Amino acid sequence: WHDWIYKALVLLVIACPCALVISTPVTIVSGLAAAARRGILIKGGVYLEEGRKLVWLALDKTGTVTHGKPVQTEFELRAEVDTALCRRLAASLAGRSDHPVSQAVAQAADRDGVTRESVEAFEALPGRGVRGVIGGKAYSLGNHRLVHELGRCSPELEVRLDTLERQGKTVVMLVDDRQVLALFAVADTVKDSSRAAIAELHQLGVKTVMLTGDNPHTAQAIAGQVGIDQSRGNQLPEDKLKAVEAFATEGPVGMVGDGINDAPALARADIGFAMGAMGTDTAIETADVALMDDDLRKIPAFIRLSRTTHAVLVQNIVLALGIKAVFLVLTLMGLGSMWMAVFADVGASLLVV
């Protein structure tokens, strides 16, 4: 009886799944902590585990690939109106918007000492621009899409817009109820870190696409500068959502953004990345991962960390089960002891940790 009870106790200790049970949470928590030390805040272990599977990464342009601090480069009157009035109207509308392009127009006006008017019935038009009532008259400040929808385009204006857009500039126009009053060209600069990040993503086998509300020419110019595989311009929030859904048919897809316009796509993507420093509260709340300093190189670092975490996780499970199996066989052969069982249990747990 003594021998059999002893062997039963040895088998019971060996059978304790401590090392196996602890192998997954301790690995995931270590991965989350390592990411946090690098300024990558991950909202759950599931996203850390899924990161290694990403096939496509969709990126917003302004504030994500570019610095998000564009500067006004051109101002042109397009109608017989007062220059000062146009700038005042545009600054009044732009100053109420949080979009970087609008902010560039407002800041240029502030630098030149342009005063602002009070705006009534202000409304943001996602993917298009803004509108409001100033002095009892309705005005809009928006992109090519908005002007086209309002029916204010002309062949001459189309040619001028095409020229500016091919230079990588974003154009917004001030429109009243009859015509385009003026245009404002704004240029942004690409982050050096974006080029490095895209190159690293390609090395990791992740394909990239840029989804932006800007015109296709500007999108193509910026994408070419950083080496992004594809670019799509004139993307409204719903267009970005549909694009992410389309790419998801090829495998897990990630989305990187910083604005309200990106929120639906961030929510739909398998992993949503928000640019924490410049990102809106909505984008950060919706995303699964927040990058704390707007450096896109953190995304390839996240993917590498995900792959390392998975490798360590597999090693831990194999180690935990392997040690148990070895000592189980030894015990069944009559060679096992309680010391072996303790090592197979507590020792394996320590090795896993």
Side-chain angles (χ1 to χ4, degrees), residues 26-343:
V26 77
T27 307
I28 296 300
V29 169
S30 297
L32 294 175
R37 283 195 297 271
R38 301 181 193 184
I40 306 169
L41 301 185
I42 307 171
K43 296 185 180 179
V46 64
Y47 306 116
L48 180 61
E49 292 188 74
E50 287 292 310
R52 65 187 179 86
K53 302 176 185 176
L54 284 181
V55 175
W56 276 98
L57 183 69
L59 305 102
D60 178 42
K61 180 183 78 71
T62 307
T64 302
V65 175
T66 63
H67 284 101
K69 296 177 181 177
V71 177
Q72 181 178 309
T73 57
E74 272 98 1
F75 164 68
E76 296 179 8
L77 283 176
R78 305 296 303 181
E80 295 294 329
V81 289
D82 181 54
T83 300
L85 174 63
C86 273
R87 296 203 65 187
R88 207 160 53 241
L89 294 171
S92 303
L93 289 169
R96 295 285 299 275
S97 171
D98 61 358
H99 194 281
V101 173
S102 294
Q103 289 296 307
V105 174
Q107 288 165 9
D110 290 341
R111 282 194 300 270
D112 294 341
V114 176
T115 57
R116 299 185 188 181
E117 306 281 349
S118 61
V119 181
E120 299 174 358
F122 179 82
E123 183 182 0
L125 308 171
R128 295 173 175 84
V130 295
R131 67 184 171 202
V133 177
I134 302 174
K137 191 173 180 181
Y139 295 95
S140 300
L141 182 72
N143 59 16
H144 193 175
R145 179 192 286 268
L146 176 64
V147 174
H148 185 74
E149 290 178 356
L150 293 173
R152 306 283 191 270
C153 271
S154 67
E156 182 190 357
L157 180 61
E158 292 279 0
V159 171
R160 183 58 182 148
L161 292 177
D162 185 68
T163 302
L164 291 169
E165 289 168 359
R166 288 185 185 277
Q167 295 171 7
K169 296 174 181 176
T170 301
V171 182
V172 291
M173 287 154 279
L174 179 67
V175 187
D176 63 7
D177 56 357
R178 294 185 299 109
Q179 61 188 337
V180 174
L181 303 178
L183 66 79
F184 303 81
V186 171
D188 201 354
T189 52
V190 172
K191 301 176 188 173
D192 291 333
S193 59
S194 297
R195 297 186 181 92
I198 299 303
E200 289 182 47
L201 286 167
H202 290 159
Q203 289 173 2
L204 292 168
V206 179
K207 293 175 281 189
T208 52
V209 58
M210 188 166 73
L211 308 175
T212 175
D214 281 347
N215 61 84
H217 294 310
T218 300
Q220 192 171 3
I222 298 296
Q225 288 180 40
V226 295
I228 292 175
D229 298 316
Q230 294 184 29
S231 66
R232 298 187 181 183
N234 290 335
Q235 297 285 292
L236 297 174
E238 56 266 32
D239 297 323
K240 293 184 179 183
L241 175 61
K242 290 175 184 175
V244 168
E245 289 176 342
F247 286 115
T249 59
E250 299 182 32
V253 60
M255 172 70 193
V256 193
D258 67 337
I260 294 173
N261 291 350
D262 306 314
L266 286 170
R268 172 59 184 85
D270 294 282
I271 304 179
F273 299 88
M275 308 301 280
M278 288 192 64
T280 61
D281 292 342
T282 304
I284 294 171
E285 182 68 28
T286 306
D288 309 306
V289 179
L291 310 180
M292 298 315 295
D293 63 358
D294 292 345
D295 188 344
L296 277 180
R297 288 174 295 187
K298 283 186 166 34
I299 295 178
F302 164 80
I303 294 172
R304 282 194 293 269
L305 182 63
S306 174
R307 293 180 180 181
T308 302
T309 302
H310 177 73
V312 172
L313 183 56
V314 171
Q315 289 169 21
N316 280 348
I317 292 171
V318 170
L319 188 69
L321 291 176
I323 290 175
K324 299 279 186 184
V326 168
F327 286 105
L328 179 64
V329 172
L330 288 174
T331 303
L332 292 175
M333 292 170 62
L335 303 174
S337 69
M338 186 58 75
W339 289 110
M340 289 184 181
V342 170
F343 174 74

